Amino acid sequence: MRDVRTKRQNALDFAVATSLAFAVGCRETGSSSDRRDGYAVDGGGVSAMSSPARALSDCTAFAKMSTSDKAGRLLIVGLPGPRLNDKSKALLARIHPGGVCLYKKNIESDSQVRDLVADVKSLYSPEMEPFIAVDEEGGAVSRFEAGILQLPGAMALGAAGSPDLAREAGEQLGRYLRSLGINMNFAPVLEPATNPASRTIGVRAFSDESAAVSTLGGAFVAGQQSAGLLSVVKHFPGHGIDQVDSHWRIPVIPAKTLEELDEETRPFAVALTDGGADGVMVSHAAIPGITGTLDPITFSHDVLTDYVKGRLGFRGIVVTDALSMSSLRKAERAEDVAARRAVEAGADMVLLPSGDPSAAHAALADALTSGAISEERSSDALMRICALRKPHRDRAQGATEGPDAALPREIARRSITVLKGGDVVPVRPGSSVAVVTTSSAFHVAANRLHPARSILLPFLAPDLYGVPREWAPDVLDGARAACAKADVLVVAIINDEELPLPQSLRALGKPVVLVSLGRPYLLELGRDADALVAAYSYTPASAEAVVSVLSGSEPPAGRLPVMLPHFERGAGLMVLGGPKE
């Protein structure tokens, strides 16, 4: 860590500078976007010098805070339901967390979310309102029900391959979230899909190629920021080559030198420097070759301060992933101690999505009082938070309309990828078609194929402990019997556990069209099917787009954005013209 530690003085100098600026309320205004001695709005994000748009009152209000309020400002908390009860109101009024993150359990409708956000903000003075955050990636990770907003997700954008479309997706999402009162999004995912077999990241990534992730992710960030939405990219430094689930296990990053870590995290480096991201969420990963320990980097000064803020020169906020994850609890069982250790290491805000954050708040307040968290460290965190308060407000004044309903359909249309089966797809007119799927959206969309039989089977996925589920034998027997008289079988699945379905139906000797509504790796595993179609998403828009390709009303337009053992990155057939040029 010698090379990283040479940056520690830089980080300390910056902390001292922010402490001095914090005392007087604001830094001098600058205009150069490439200077590294303060903050600036650069392409919508916080990067170099101070933003002239940041009101002096923001910083002076922070400077006058009590120790309890400073501790609260370092927390992002969750809420138990779609409305504030008396207990939640009392908690928010007492600790004044700096952020509130909304999850699916908090979201019922547009009007309900607006009311909830207004109720939260009513407990704060106007100059001290919290960030209202959400974890909205689209596709597989969406907090919104069908009919509100459902973008197909990152890998669908990767298959479409258009930075303009990615930017528009970010902008439309930003406008919509801002119209609800939400001003921060923990998205997009900027780690490549390094392991196509892993579901941890999977279709949440744009591609397995760093350059594509940087380009499309940067465009998505720019779109969100143009709508006034703060963009917190994730999950630095990634989940390792195997991409294990950090909810349960600590991923290990293989980098042994700073140069290797630079290469491993290149999309983040671009976003945190040139791309102007507002924040970065760190995963509970370990980098033993850099830190010398298997402890998660959540507690590593070497990584959070020396590398992210020093070597990369990042001036936004560093946010932890949820401290409630089992993987982190194995390293530090006490959530309050974890919160203190993370802030000491360089995290500016810690995420506590469930439970009572009172113990974490008390631990942070005690650490601020005792000096365990130094004044330089706390001032650095608070100034970074302060710098984000209003950088996009002027451009967000008009962000009150809902999203363009045509956008999810356009993303889906341009993403559908046919890897095999140009002689089977589109389905010949007059053919008797049987559809079997685990997706209710696909079940509805497939009515356009006028199927002789359409069967919706229960969705299968591992349980909370990763134990696979499976159908009873009579379920597969029933599906096979129902499809026996069809000419063509269309099977649309989401997860690995559902692969026995197309395998069972192939025994009928009929052409099988296998549609993956999840990871394209399912098509690798089911490549014996007569036709293979990747949708990357089980949203209604993606289901409709697949049906359009199957019926022949639209040609497939997507390219495979990841490398599979039997399919090259960029693969994709045009049904009526052979391979793409």
Side-chain angles (χ1 to χ4, degrees):
M1 284 306 300
R2 183 178 59 197
D3 291 340
V4 169
R5 291 186 189 281
T6 63
K7 300 292 184 179
R8 181 165 293 182
Q9 188 57 49
N10 291 342
L12 180 59
D13 290 344
F14 175 70
V16 171
T18 55
S19 177
L20 294 173
F22 185 74
V24 300
C26 191
R27 290 199 203 105
E28 293 180 353
T29 297
S31 59
S32 172
S33 65
D34 60 355
R35 297 199 33 205
R36 296 293 177 83
D37 51 348
Y39 297 101
V41 175
D42 180 14
V46 174
S47 56
M49 290 289 290
S50 293
S51 167
R54 194 180 75 215
L56 178 64
S57 60
D58 287 339
C59 295
T60 55
F62 272 50
K64 295 176 181 177
M65 285 192 299
S66 67
T67 299
S68 176
D69 282 342
K70 289 179 181 178
R73 199 48 49 171
L74 306 177
L75 300 174
I76 300 175
V77 304
L79 301 172
R83 292 162 190 84
L84 290 184
N85 55 31
D86 290 342
K87 183 177 180 180
S88 297
K89 288 179 181 178
L91 178 68
L92 294 178
R94 179 170 58 83
I95 69 174
H96 281 131
V100 172
C101 190
L102 305 183
Y103 295 90
K104 185 165 282 191
K105 65 183 178 181
N106 307 121
I107 296 172
E108 293 178 340
S109 67
D110 288 6
S111 59
Q112 171 268 323
V113 172
R114 291 189 187 100
D115 289 343
L116 176 60
V117 170
D119 287 346
V120 168
K121 289 183 176 180
S122 72
L123 301 171
Y124 294 73
S125 60
E127 68 274 13
M128 296 298 291
E129 287 180 352
F131 298 128
I132 305 296
V134 71
D135 210 10
E136 181 57 34
E137 301 172 19
V141 178
S142 177
R143 308 308 179 188
F144 296 91
E145 298 293 341
I148 299 180
L149 175 69
Q150 285 193 313
L151 294 175
M155 193 164 284
L157 286 167
S162 168
D164 289 342
L165 193 61
R167 182 184 174 98
E168 186 177 357
E171 181 175 357
Q172 290 290 337
L173 177 60
R175 285 182 174 275
Y176 179 59
L177 295 180
R178 284 304 304 252
S179 77
L180 302 180
I182 295 168
N183 56 19
M184 177 179 283
N185 192 18
F186 296 144
V189 170
L190 286 190
E191 53 187 295
T194 53
N195 178 7
S198 171
R199 335 182 195 216
T200 302
I201 298 301
V203 293
R204 300 168 67 189
F206 292 98
S207 171
D208 62 355
E209 192 176 37
S210 290
V213 172
S214 295
T215 299
L216 296 172
F220 192 92
V221 167
Q224 289 191 132
Q225 292 177 331
S226 71
L229 188 71
L230 297 168
S231 293
V232 178
V233 299
K234 62 187 183 184
H235 313 79
F236 179 90
H239 286 76
I241 294 174
D242 294 333
Q243 295 195 314
V244 302
D245 190 344
S246 59
H247 287 82
W248 309 105
R249 295 167 54 196
I250 295 177
V252 176
I253 308 299
K256 291 181 171 57
T257 67
L258 295 180
E259 290 72 24
E260 288 179 359
L261 185 57
D262 291 342
E263 187 62 32
E264 181 110 9
T265 61
R266 188 163 302 282
F268 290 101
V270 172
L272 302 188
T273 54
D274 301 333
D278 300 292
V280 59
M281 177 177 284
V282 295
S283 70
H284 303 313
I287 319 178
I290 300 296
T291 65
T293 175
L294 284 172
D295 276 353
I297 64 161
T298 312
F299 305 139
S300 173
H301 188 282
D302 290 338
V303 176
L304 302 191
T305 297
D306 294 343
Y307 186 84
V308 174
K309 296 179 178 181
R311 185 176 177 89
L312 298 184
F314 182 51
R315 297 298 183 246
I317 61 169
V318 174
V319 183
T320 71
D321 208 340
L323 296 188
S324 55
M325 289 183 177
S326 294
S327 59
L328 191 73
R329 290 295 185 90
K330 293 174 184 176
E332 179 53 74
R333 295 193 62 82
E335 202 169 81
D336 56 337
V337 178
R340 175 185 58 76
R341 290 180 64 189
V343 174
E344 286 177 354
D348 304 304
M349 303 189 82
V350 296
L351 179 60
L352 303 167
S354 59
D356 188 340
S358 295
H361 175 261
L364 291 174
D366 288 345
L368 291 172
T369 299
S370 68
I373 296 176
S374 69
E375 183 178 355
E376 290 82 6
R377 173 76 275 273
S378 63
S379 294
D380 171 46
L382 293 168
M383 279 300 299
R384 289 169 184 268
I385 296 167
C386 175
L388 291 186
R389 290 192 51 79
K390 297 180 182 178
H392 312 298
R393 182 170 292 180
D394 291 342
R395 284 176 291 171
Q397 292 301 315
T400 57
E401 67 270 26
D404 180 359
L407 180 62
R409 294 195 295 271
E410 179 65 8
I411 295 171
R413 183 189 71 79
R414 294 169 65 175
S415 70
I416 304 304
T417 309
V418 176
L419 294 179
K420 176 184 175 182
D423 55 342
V424 179
V425 177
V427 175
R428 290 185 177 87
S431 297
S432 173
V433 178
V435 175
V436 188
T437 184
T438 57
S439 162
S440 57
F442 194 88
H443 183 64
V444 171
N447 286 329
R448 287 172 44 208
L449 295 173
H450 306 293
R453 295 300 302 267
S454 184
I455 303 168
L456 178 63
L457 296 183
F459 167 84
L460 290 184
D463 65 18
L464 289 175
Y465 301 98
V467 178
R469 296 186 173 114
E470 59 184 26
W471 292 300
D474 61 330
V475 172
L476 294 178
D477 293 341
R480 196 164 49 244
C483 296
K485 295 183 179 180
D487 298 323
V488 178
L489 312 181
V490 175
V491 184
I493 61 174
I494 300 171
N495 280 324
D496 304 43
E497 288 76 13
E498 298 159 4
L499 280 166
L501 178 58
Q503 294 164 355
S504 173
L505 294 178
R506 275 186 56 77
L508 295 173
K510 309 296 179 70
V512 173
V513 179
L514 176 58
V515 180
S516 172
L517 303 172
R519 297 166 6 263
Y521 190 69
L522 295 181
L523 302 181
E524 172 69 30
L525 299 176
R527 63 186 179 276
D528 290 339
D530 299 277
L532 302 173
V533 182
Y536 313 100
S537 165
Y538 46 83
T539 60
S542 294
E544 289 284 350
V546 170
V547 171
S548 292
V549 170
L550 297 181
S551 67
S553 61
E554 289 280 356
R559 292 179 182 269
L560 185 67
V562 296
M563 181 79 74
L564 299 177
H566 289 85
F567 301 97
E568 295 288 329
R569 184 190 304 112
L573 299 176
M574 293 190 69
V575 172
L576 299 179
K580 290 188 174 187
E581 296 297 321

